[in-house]
Amino acid sequence: MHCYENVVSYLSCGMLLAGLFHLINHRKAQASYGRHMKLSSTARTVPARVAWFLQEMPALLMPLLLMQLSHQYSTMGSALLLKAFCLHYFQRTFVYSLLTRGQPFPLGVMATAGFFCSLNGFLQGHYLLHCAQFDEKWSAGYRYIIGLLVFYTGMVINIHSDYILRNLRKPNEIVYRVPAGGLFEYVSGANYFGELVEWFGFALATWSLPALSYAAFSLCFIGPRAFYHHRFYKEHFKEYPKFRKALIPFIF
């Protein structure tokens, strides 16, 4: 399949603009799901497990579909990077979504997230399959190796932090408690920190505009959310440790 460079550029720039718009638009209030959800009596919701499954699935299906259509990778380096991307979304679709104990999702939030995941799955998959050119020298270089190591380190942090959060609740219980252990000893949003580490590691390994755009979008989307989580803990729990930061250990 041909590399559609203009489409890749437009989608990447659009993602950057969408992240900036979200950052500006949500300075005073966060997206309405989880602890920040404010529902009207007529709002339609979807069970959390169903919502996470459906909205994350497209980011996994799009690259897999593109793989089937192309029947080959441009390079082995591209294959490893695309498989890393798919591994993240396999975990989010088939593990995280089926174990989560969160509140029901607004239908509109789920649909928007699913649409974004579809576009991002296509963007990353198409670029790595048909546009990226990683020769053997690049695949053995420091950017590629360090980037993948950072990506998998972030994945471990993210999964472990989700495990801690999940076990703060009993089944069918909707309460919020102060997380402890792991990187939660240093930041309120350890799960978000892990995910950001993943995507900036991915951007380093690919050294591409699509991956950088997604990492920047993630920062604009979950960075403010981590800040509001941090403020929530401080407002509702008097014993909350003052030395903990919102998102980045020892810094912010």
Side-chain angles (χ1 to χ4, degrees):
M1 184 182 290
H2 177 69
C3 172
Y4 295 99
E5 295 182 4
N6 288 338
V7 174
V8 169
S9 297
Y10 292 149
L11 287 177
S12 299
C13 292
M15 192 175 293
L16 286 171
L17 292 175
L20 182 60
F21 175 79
H22 183 277
L23 183 64
I24 295 173
N25 196 43
H26 289 80
R27 288 179 298 174
K28 297 183 179 180
Q30 278 299 291
S32 181
Y33 68 92
R35 73 192 66 191
H36 305 294
M37 184 164 55
K38 297 179 181 179
L39 294 176
S40 67
S41 59
T42 59
R44 295 184 178 182
T45 59
V46 180
R49 292 181 178 180
V50 175
W52 279 106
F53 180 84
L54 292 178
Q55 72 183 35
E56 301 289 305
M57 175 70 80
L60 174 63
L61 288 182
M62 289 301 294
L64 293 178
L65 178 61
L66 291 172
M67 286 185 218
Q68 291 300 315
L69 293 175
S70 64
H71 302 295
Q72 63 181 357
Y73 300 98
S74 56
T75 64
M76 180 58 69
S78 296
L80 291 175
L81 287 168
L82 190 55
K83 288 177 180 178
F85 180 86
C86 290
L87 178 62
H88 170 89
Y89 279 103
F90 178 88
Q91 192 275 332
R92 298 294 288 182
T93 302
F94 292 105
V95 180
Y96 175 83
S97 66
L98 300 181
L99 295 176
T100 186
R101 297 173 181 173
Q103 297 187 54
F105 257 51
L107 180 60
V109 173
M110 184 198 77
T112 302
F115 176 72
F116 174 83
C117 284
S118 299
L119 290 179
N120 188 46
F122 170 80
L123 174 61
Q124 307 302 332
H126 177 74
Y127 176 81
L128 288 173
L129 283 169
H130 306 296
C131 303
Q133 296 296 327
F134 300 119
D135 55 23
E136 293 183 2
K137 183 178 180 181
W138 173 266
S139 300
Y142 72 92
R143 287 176 185 165
Y144 184 85
I145 294 173
I146 293 176
L148 278 178
L149 288 175
V150 171
F151 174 86
Y152 284 112
T153 299
M155 179 177 284
V156 170
I157 294 172
N158 180 251
I159 293 174
H160 181 248
S161 299
D162 283 337
Y163 170 81
I164 291 174
L165 289 173
R166 185 168 57 248
N167 285 279
L168 292 176
R169 293 175 176 170
K170 298 177 182 178
N172 301 318
E173 185 180 40
I174 303 296
V175 296
Y176 292 99
R177 299 186 175 94
V178 176
L183 279 182
F184 281 113
E185 297 297 323
Y186 305 98
V187 292
S188 300
N191 53 328
Y192 295 143
F193 174 73
E195 189 161 355
L196 287 177
V197 169
E198 278 188 77
W199 297 126
F200 277 98
F202 188 75
L204 177 62
T206 63
W207 205 249
S208 68
L209 179 60
L212 179 61
S213 297
Y214 183 41
F217 176 89
S218 299
L219 179 61
C220 291
F221 188 87
I222 63 180
R225 197 163 184 84
F227 173 79
Y228 277 92
H229 277 28
H230 184 67
R231 190 172 71 177
F232 174 88
Y233 288 130
K234 292 175 67 176
E235 291 176 349
H236 290 81
F237 301 96
K238 294 181 179 180
E239 73 279 11
Y240 195 72
K242 295 182 178 180
F243 64 85
R244 285 192 193 178
K245 302 300 182 181
L247 181 63
I248 304 175
F250 311 113
I251 299 176
F252 171 73

